[in-house]
Amino acid sequence: MADTTPRATSNRSTTPGSSTFKDFIGSQWADREQTIPEPREQAAFAAERRARISELHPGRTIVVPAGQAKVRSNDCDYPFRPHSTFAHLTGWGTDTVVGSVLVMTPNGSGHDATLYFRATAGRESEEFYANPEIGEFWVGPRPSLDAVAADLGLATADLGAFSDVADGLDASALLVREADDDLTRTLDARLGSAVGGAPETDDAPATDDVLARDLSEQRLVKDAYEVGELRKAVDATKHGFDDVIADFDAVLAHQRGERIVEGTFNRRARADGNTVGYDTIAASGHHACILHWTRNDGAVQPGDLILIDAGVEVDSFYTADITRTLPVSGTFSPVQRMVYDAVLEAADAAFAIVKPGITFRQVHATAMEVIARKTAEWGFLPVSAEESLEPDNQFHRRYMVHGTSHHLGLDVHDCAKARREMYIDGVVQPGMVFTIEPGLYFQQDDLTVPEEFRGIGVRIEDDILVTEDGAENLSIGIPGPPRKWRGGSPAPAASLSG
């Protein structure tokens, strides 16, 4: 289905085209011994996920593309990352072959799943040396159909055979539309209408949007494998924060110290995982008041607070999402300490209520009660905390406009297409993993707060696993000022090491 023509290279190619060269480069290669692997750990979990989706959409063909590499410029691509749904349903991670497609075909009692991907080309093929997008000389060898079938516990077929599957689809088929724009346009054109756009009937009630919703909601509760991968991601993230703190001398010495923080953390992410799960925020001083500060081009000055929001994505694509706000010099000023303590109190209060049976929105509401009370005590609100908490007021939200929690998993903001009644209004269940991340941000030109508060931004973010009888803070061991420290003398520098 995909265009196999190399992009933006024909006008500068120097690859010989003679038959003599082709014969020579295609000959005298040693035989390779093909090793058939045992199924990877996640294969059984992926099969269970496919079975649950099959039950929700009986009799419907389901097409889940991995997607294509995205062009950065000309013939340079961004690093390839398959669509999260594809990874969830196949168990394939960083070794996913670009352009692959999972097809679930109804069989009367469920679905048969087949993974279509471009199998490795022989050395006699021009692709082997002349195609910089997929050729082995350029990107390395691709696995065989048999190896992937054993590895993932899935039937496999060459991607070329997918054309016959596409020709047999009708408008009742369901497609993960945003995974591969080119494939979506191709299928829509073949059918003369949008795939998954058939009118609702008793036999075919679902649309592509419903499929996307169901796939998102399926990820609200993590299985044992997913929880284990999130623990790995948090573990690697802890090492990244340790590295940053150990590098504070270099951070302070550089005119763009925020970049040193970013680079130090990202090095750990590449060493211990796949990459960062999102662009690292290294926000020192008043930059901490900019919620998505990823430019990271500022200096880090003695006496600053630095807000670091970072997470490692492991090879299965599960990611951590952690924020720590640290006093660069090892101690807080009195005002910094007041703000930090207020945010910590909000985080601890929210964590304390987490258990199965509460609604997800209660986590946010609990943190907001603390934020409203603290900002009212400091005289920043024109009304009492109780009045500010009324839905039509919300004065305290000036200082924390974001939510307190979001689900976490394959995506840093996981399950984003779940229905509101399943997400913000949903009932918390064992196996859910989400963040708790209250903050206070006093912009440097905010005239509603005293001058000594302006330019202070604090956020504390942890990754929380819901257990059968409560919750576990997966990231409690990531360094920062002691979680139960409440005042008195400033936090000692030693507190930043554990």
Side-chain angles (χ1 to χ4, degrees), residues 387-463:
E387 291 173 292
S388 187
L389 285 163
E390 292 176 6
D392 291 339
N393 289 329
Q394 301 288 300
F395 294 101
H396 57 286
R397 293 301 299 277
R398 178 185 180 111
Y399 313 112
M400 182 186 156
V401 297
H402 62 80
T404 304
S405 297
H406 59 78
H407 282 269
L408 184 68
L410 278 167
D411 295 327
V412 68
H413 293 156
D414 210 24
C415 317
K417 294 189 176 181
R419 287 167 288 185
R420 186 177 183 85
E421 59 267 31
M422 298 292 287
Y423 200 123
I424 189 67
D425 293 323
V427 175
V428 169
Q429 302 175 53
M432 286 184 169
V433 179
F434 49 76
T435 65
I436 291 179
E437 51 176 312
L440 279 169
Y441 314 90
F442 301 113
Q443 303 290 335
Q444 60 181 342
D445 57 354
D446 189 343
L447 301 181
T448 68
V449 302
E451 186 174 357
E452 61 267 29
F453 282 83
R454 297 173 197 166
I456 294 177
V458 173
R459 180 164 67 252
I460 301 169
E461 179 179 18
D462 285 291
D463 299 344

Side-chain angles (χ1 to χ4, degrees), residues 164-346:
D164 293 335
V165 175
D167 288 341
L169 295 177
D170 59 31
S172 71
L174 296 172
L175 171 67
V176 178
R177 300 186 67 80
E178 75 276 11
D180 188 329
D181 291 340
D182 289 342
L183 179 58
T184 296
R185 283 191 291 269
T186 298
L187 294 181
D188 286 351
R190 287 192 180 196
L191 294 172
S193 63
V195 179
E200 292 195 9
T201 67
D202 289 341
D203 295 327
T207 63
D208 291 336
D209 288 343
V210 173
L211 174 66
R213 178 202 74 192
D214 292 344
L215 289 165
S216 206
E217 291 175 357
Q218 177 174 283
R219 285 156 51 185
L220 284 166
V221 175
K222 271 55 183 178
D223 58 39
Y225 173 78
E226 293 177 290
V227 171
E229 292 301 289
L230 286 164
R231 289 186 188 278
K232 289 179 187 176
V234 170
D235 240 10
T237 299
K238 178 188 184 304
H239 292 310
F241 275 89
D242 288 341
D243 292 345
V244 167
I245 291 168
D247 218 14
F248 265 1
D249 285 346
V251 169
L252 287 162
H254 199 280
Q255 62 182 352
R256 295 203 290 183
E258 291 175 343
R259 289 276 170 95
I260 305 302
V261 171
E262 177 186 354
T264 296
F265 185 87
N266 290 7
R267 178 181 61 185
R268 175 64 68 174
R270 288 293 283 165
D272 287 6
N274 176 42
T275 185
V276 290
Y278 51 95
D279 287 343
T280 295
I281 296 170
S284 187
H286 67 88
H287 287 164
C289 299
I290 302 171
L291 299 180
H292 287 170
W293 176 258
T294 55
R295 193 185 309 165
N296 299 339
D297 60 358
V300 180
Q301 306 286 355
D304 277 355
L305 296 181
I306 184 166
L307 186 158
I308 305 169
D309 188 336
V312 173
E313 175 189 273
V314 293
D315 288 336
S316 59
F317 303 126
Y318 289 85
T319 184
D321 182 7
I322 309 297
T323 306
R324 293 291 183 263
T325 306
L326 308 173
V328 175
S329 301
T331 59
F332 291 107
S333 73
V335 174
Q336 290 171 344
R337 183 175 68 208
M338 286 176 61
V339 178
Y340 185 90
D341 278 353
V343 174
L344 181 57
E345 185 175 334

